[in-house]
Amino acid sequence: MATPFAPMEPARATQDQRPLYKDASAPVEARVDDLIARMTLDEKIAQITTVWESKVQIFDDRLQLDVAKLAARYPHGLGHFTRPSDARGAVSPRVARGRDPRQTVALVNALQKWAMTQTRLGIPILFHEEGLHGYAAVGATSFPQSIALASSWDPALVRQVNSVIAREIRARGVPMVLSPVVDIARDPRWGRIEETYGEDPYLVGEMGVAAVEGLQGAGRARDLRPGKVFATLKHLTGHGQPESGTNVGPAPVSERELRENFFPPFEQVVKRTGINAVMASYNEIDGVPSHMNRWLLGDVLRGEWGFRGAVVSDYSGVDQLMSLHHVAGSLEEAARRALDAGVDADLPDGLSYATLGAQVRAGKVSEAQVDKAVRRMLELKFRAGLFEHPYADAAQAEAITNNSEARALARTAAQRSITLLKNDGMLPLKPTGSIAVIGPSAAVARLGGYYGQPPHAVSILEGIKAKVGDRATIVFAQGVKITQDDDWWADKVEKADPAENRRLIAQAVEAAKGVDRIILTLGDTEQSSREGWGPTHLGDRPSLDLVGEQQDLFDALKALGKPITVVLINGRPASTVKISEQANALLEGWYLGEQGGHAVADILFGDVNPGGKLPVTVPRSAGQLPSFYNVKPSARRGYLFDTTDPLYPFGFGLSYTSFALSPPRLSQASIGTGGTTTVAVDVRNTGAREGDEVVQLYIHDKVSSVTRPIKELKGFQRVTLKPGEVRTVRFTIDSESLKMWNDSMHHVVEPGAFEIMTGNSSVALQSTTLTVTP
């Protein structure tokens, strides 16, 4: 039976009577043991549930915390609080503006003061926020979306970006963020592809490790450092190739496919960093939803990989065992199945886990099972130092948020993310004459899903005007609208009116008639490519074509005979076959963050040389799907009346200069199964200006016990070279580079011949042979 609630007991204890769990010098494990031994069952349940949409019930009419309401609603404490920066839960910030730094700190501190001084045991609250590509909050810095950052092929940059995200979140008193996403993304119909680092397990793994190191700090230490936050690795797994490309759909993949492609990014992060939290995925694998998958969360994650932290649910993922997957007949059963699989916290509102107290009392769930989950969640609080330092400093939060350093990094990140796909010599532009800037994303800065609210986001039009000043005449026309609205949060999505778009196209043509050059932005809004989180909130599409009349706009402008540069601002690879053929220059920008407009102008006018590379294959049409570079030998035999070649290959990207790469050289052409060799490649800038090249290493096992991909990325390095400069790039090949899952599902190196390939894309490669002996 639960003991009666007795507020203020800790305050009456003398220093000599101070319980062990309040002793900061004691080991974390001992502190957790001591605290759990003192807790009632209801207090334990409070620690593995949370509050989000119902938070309005503890606010007054001004959305400020009402402590009386809080105490009445949560007499056993409050373990976890979802997104304190939003106004009142799952509402668009355009409908209800979120809290600024000072307001967020005020709420966090008020909640912590109540938890620390007005609850029986004084257990602080764990807060989490979204921070996929910037803290999703008022005033925070907005960086390029994940798929754009992946295009930089620059882990050091990803580490820097996430370090800034961490300090802006931690400054508001929040120690946990739901990021990064390390799903590999193999279906661009899926609206969440923008949240990923691309299609390749090696690239995604390296970017994921860098992101976690930025958020938490380098190394495997699990205690949270100043200015850092706990990363949450998501979504385990199979999420990025859902059946028919629709979000939360079944992942029709085998164990071999999981181990070769979907597992490696998660495994790399778990084994190389101090990651303390992992989020289960919405989808099912072989009929078993991830939130009840004991093999996935237990045998693999906690067993094979040695993960020691907490597993948290995706939002309502436990509830969906009942409502979506129908493997549970009630929330009670959903809670039992998730808890048994090892899910430790029920986000974002704890609806299922709120039933566990009654289930323990009824003998349906053991209290020992609850204790396991409580232990892991409490450990996060101790490792975050919340028992000693629960409060935040509003002045510091204001000073550190979106400061000049953060804005400069946002601009650099956008510059390094932009990928040049075509250039007939039109770029870089001269800042003279007359230029028409046209398109649905020309005058608005599109930030992408899980966006924040930066103080100012720079549009491409603003960036160009700031760049050229009065040296050139700039003409603007919208050209078309894509969707009626562009609010990522809004449920309803409607295409723009075709008749209105025809009128806008005519206006754009008229505006462009007298100019020298055209810059045209095309792509997506935050609504035409996004997370489809429910049947009334969709975000996936069956086509890769541009939405609405965007192709008509391009055709009409091209008919003017003017040189035209297209800038793609989008969340998914777009099938732009005709545009790729007819545009003079083509840039892929994805969503570039708050400084994207300046970055695009820097690239267009040559102040910065583009060096990005595609982290995904760009198909010609949805008929080529799934489309990825590391295919098996029997794949892509051919189509009638069309090609299997992609529109643009994985790893591809051009520059304003040129590079020559030597064939790869091996320090040893023959090694044993446990040996190592070094691959050396000379890179020369053969052009007239400084630029970046990304040297890529691929490996192919020529003959093996099971079929193997024709090539697999195993290394990359982005280098900056002055004209005429030569640099030797080196990669180490060891057993981890050569291992595969054999016909007995053992992870081994099989002796034989391996093709070692290097180049600047997945198709522009030179090779040599490595022999591996028994």
Side-chain angles (χ1 to χ4, degrees):
M1 293 291 292
T3 57
F5 174 60
M8 296 299 289
E9 181 180 298
R12 295 198 301 267
T14 67
Q15 184 65 26
D16 292 337
Q17 296 171 324
R18 185 177 64 172
L20 180 63
Y21 76 87
K22 292 195 172 184
D23 182 356
S25 66
V28 167
E29 293 79 5
R31 298 178 75 183
V32 172
D33 287 343
D34 180 69
L35 180 53
I36 287 180
R38 299 170 183 271
M39 296 173 71
T40 68
L41 176 59
D42 290 324
E43 287 168 337
K44 292 174 182 177
I45 301 303
Q47 293 303 309
I48 58 177
T49 55
T50 187
V51 56
W52 189 33
E53 292 196 65
S54 59
K55 66 173 64 172
V56 292
Q57 297 176 19
I58 59 172
F59 294 156
D60 61 22
D61 293 340
R62 297 176 296 113
L63 297 180
Q64 303 302 305
L65 183 65
D66 186 319
V67 176
K69 290 181 179 179
L70 174 65
R73 187 169 179 82
Y74 300 102
H76 307 290
L78 180 59
H80 202 140
F81 194 94
T82 297
R83 302 192 67 179
S85 68
D86 67 28
R88 49 185 174 90
V91 179
S92 169
R94 298 187 188 180
V95 174
R97 186 177 185 269
R99 302 174 194 271
D100 63 25
R102 187 166 291 276
Q103 293 166 336
T104 304
V105 169
L107 176 60
V108 166
N109 286 352
L111 284 163
Q112 292 290 36
K113 182 178 180 182
W114 168 80
M116 297 293 288
T117 67
Q118 299 298 312
T119 64
R120 190 177 74 87
L121 294 171
I123 303 174
I125 297 168
L126 180 66
F127 298 91
H128 76 255
E129 291 277 11
E130 297 285 358
L132 180 66
H133 56 111
Y135 183 12
V138 172
T141 309
S142 178
F143 293 97
Q145 180 59 285
S146 295
I147 198 168
L149 289 172
S151 301
S152 73
W153 290 60
D154 187 348
L157 175 68
V158 171
R159 195 175 295 111
Q160 283 182 284
V161 164
N162 279 276
S163 182
V164 172
I165 294 171
R167 76 186 188 202
E168 292 192 354
I169 294 175
R170 187 68 184 278
R172 297 197 199 187
V174 176
M176 184 176 181
V177 62
L178 304 186
S179 177
V181 173
V182 293
D183 299 298
I184 65 162
R186 287 179 147 192
D187 195 328
R189 295 174 297 178
W190 183 50
R192 300 195 75 172
I193 192 170
E194 67 178 81
E195 300 175 35
T196 76
Y197 293 123
E199 72 182 44
D200 179 72
Y202 183 86
L203 176 63
V204 173
E206 293 303 301
M207 293 303 194
V209 167
V212 172
E213 289 176 340
L215 293 169
Q216 293 192 182
R220 302 203 64 201
R222 298 177 63 209
D223 291 347
L224 204 54
R225 306 166 200 181
K228 297 297 182 181
V229 293
F230 290 128
T232 305
L233 201 59
K234 58 185 197 177
H235 313 81
L236 189 66
T237 188
H239 207 29
Q241 194 177 354
E243 184 178 283
S244 72
T246 55
N247 193 44
V248 315
V253 293
S254 65
E255 181 181 350
R256 180 177 301 283
E257 188 76 11
L258 289 171
R259 291 189 178 279
E260 290 182 349
N261 291 296
F262 292 90
F263 280 179
F266 291 91
E267 183 178 7
Q268 287 298 306
V269 174
V270 170
K271 290 185 173 180
R272 291 166 56 186
T273 75
I275 190 73
N276 277 291
V278 170
M279 177 180 282
S281 60
Y282 283 126
N283 56 276
E284 65 174 78
I285 300 171
D286 194 24
V288 183
S290 296
H291 283 78
M292 53 171 274
N293 195 325
R294 298 175 65 182
W295 172 76
L296 178 66
L297 304 181
D299 297 351
V300 176
L301 175 63
R302 297 193 187 279
E304 295 178 26
W305 303 345
F307 176 67
R308 294 182 293 161
V311 174
V312 301
S313 79
D314 205 339
Y315 281 17
S316 302
V318 178
D319 311 341
Q320 289 180 2
L321 296 178
M322 179 192 72
S323 62
L324 177 65
H325 296 292
H326 305 292
V327 292
S330 62
L331 291 180
E332 288 82 359
E333 185 179 1
R336 291 196 302 272
R337 302 202 74 167
L339 187 68
D340 186 57
V343 177
D344 301 309
D346 183 6
L347 307 184
D349 280 299
L351 299 181
S352 292
Y353 277 19
T355 70
L356 287 173
Q359 294 198 72
V360 170
R361 294 185 177 98
K364 294 182 179 180
V365 175
S366 73
E367 191 163 354
Q369 281 185 291
V370 172
D371 286 354
K372 280 186 180 180
V374 173
R375 178 178 300 279
R376 291 166 182 152
M377 297 311 295
L378 288 176
E379 189 169 320
L380 289 177
K381 297 185 179 187
F382 283 112
R383 293 195 180 281
L386 291 180
F387 283 82
E388 291 73 45
H389 305 288
Y391 305 116
D393 183 329
Q396 181 197 24
E398 286 184 327
I400 206 170
T401 300
N402 199 248
N403 61 16
S404 59
E405 177 193 355
R407 292 192 298 273
L409 180 60
R411 184 167 180 167
T412 297
Q415 292 167 348
R416 293 179 73 79
S417 299
I418 294 170
T419 304
L420 179 63
L421 299 179
K422 180 182 180 181
N423 186 22
D424 68 359
M426 180 178 179
L427 299 181
L429 300 172
K430 289 183 171 57
T432 56
S434 55
I435 304 169
V437 181
I438 296 172
S441 296
V444 58
R446 303 206 184 277
L447 303 179
Y450 289 97
Y451 63 87
Q453 298 164 268
H456 179 67
V458 182
S459 70
I460 292 174
L461 179 62
E462 288 177 296
I464 290 172
K465 286 182 174 180
K467 177 68 64 177
V468 303
D470 57 5
R471 294 176 293 172
T473 300
I474 303 298
V475 175
F476 165 71
Q478 184 175 1
V480 296
K481 286 184 68 176
I482 300 172
T483 51
Q484 293 285 12
D485 188 10
D486 60 359
D487 186 357
W488 180 81
W489 284 85
D491 289 336
K492 189 175 182 180
V493 177
E494 293 182 284
K495 288 183 180 180
D497 177 30
E500 173 65 10
N501 275 344
R502 286 191 288 272
R503 186 183 68 80
L504 291 173
I505 290 171
Q507 288 181 350
V509 169
E510 191 63 29
K513 282 182 178 178
V515 304
D516 303 321
R517 293 150 292 171
I518 299 170
I519 298 170
L520 174 62
T521 69
L522 300 172
D524 285 314
T525 71
E526 285 86 351
Q527 284 195 335
S528 62
S529 174
R530 66 177 185 178
E531 177 183 359
W533 63 59
T536 61
H537 186 100
L538 300 175
D540 312 304
R541 295 208 316 267
S543 170
L544 303 182
D545 296 337
L546 294 170
V547 174
E549 288 68 44
Q550 294 185 82
Q551 183 66 55
D552 296 339
L553 172 61
F554 174 85
D555 293 342
L557 293 173
K558 184 64 181 176
L560 293 174
K562 313 279 185 181
I564 184 167
T565 294
V566 173
V567 181
L568 295 173
I569 301 297
N570 49 348
R572 73 180 77 216
S575 178
T576 54
V577 177
K578 186 176 180 182
I579 290 168
S580 297
E581 292 171 350
Q582 296 185 0
N584 299 87
L586 179 63
L587 291 167
E588 176 59 82
W590 310 109
Y591 296 125
L592 287 168
E594 67 172 63
Q595 297 296 316
H598 286 316
V600 169
D602 293 336
I603 296 289
L604 288 173
F605 294 94
D607 293 335
V608 174
N609 192 348
K613 302 282 185 177
L614 290 174
V616 291
T617 300
V618 179
R620 292 179 174 272
S621 70
Q624 290 185 328
L625 299 179
S627 183
F628 44 87
Y629 83 92
N630 50 341
V631 298
K632 296 294 184 70
S634 60
R636 317 283 163 82
R637 173 169 288 174
Y639 291 120
L640 287 173
F641 318 125
D642 207 342
T643 179
T644 60
D645 293 338
L647 184 58
Y648 292 104
F650 174 82
F652 176 78
L654 303 173
S655 171
Y656 293 155
T657 189
S658 57
F659 298 93
L661 279 65
S662 73
R665 304 185 303 275
L666 300 178
S667 61
Q668 296 184 82
S670 179
I671 61 174
T673 54
T676 64
T677 188
T678 299
V679 185
V681 181
D682 299 328
V683 191
R684 179 188 296 273
N685 184 340
T686 56
R689 61 177 296 160
E690 181 176 286
D692 286 9
E693 184 59 286
V694 179
V695 184
Q696 302 163 39
L697 167 70
Y698 297 84
I699 295 179
H700 172 222
D701 189 349
K702 291 187 176 183
V703 179
S704 49
S705 62
V706 296
T707 60
R708 301 291 297 136
I710 60 173
K711 65 190 76 167
E712 295 177 282
L713 182 72
K714 294 296 181 179
F716 61 89
Q717 187 175 335
R718 181 166 176 162
V719 295
T720 303
L721 299 175
K722 294 180 172 58
E725 184 179 358
V726 180
R727 187 174 306 171
T728 300
V729 174
R730 291 180 172 83
F731 304 100
T732 298
I733 294 178
D734 57 18
S735 61
E736 290 302 314
S737 312
L738 304 173
K739 278 184 175 179
M740 47 88 75
W741 293 91
N742 67 10
D743 52 356
S744 299
M745 285 304 289
H746 295 145
H747 203 208
V748 299
V749 177
E750 291 187 340
F754 290 79
E755 188 176 10
I756 308 302
M757 298 166 276
T758 56
N760 62 4
S761 80
S762 62
V763 296
L765 298 169
Q766 302 178 77
S767 66
T768 189
T769 299
L770 171 67
T771 300
V772 177
T773 59

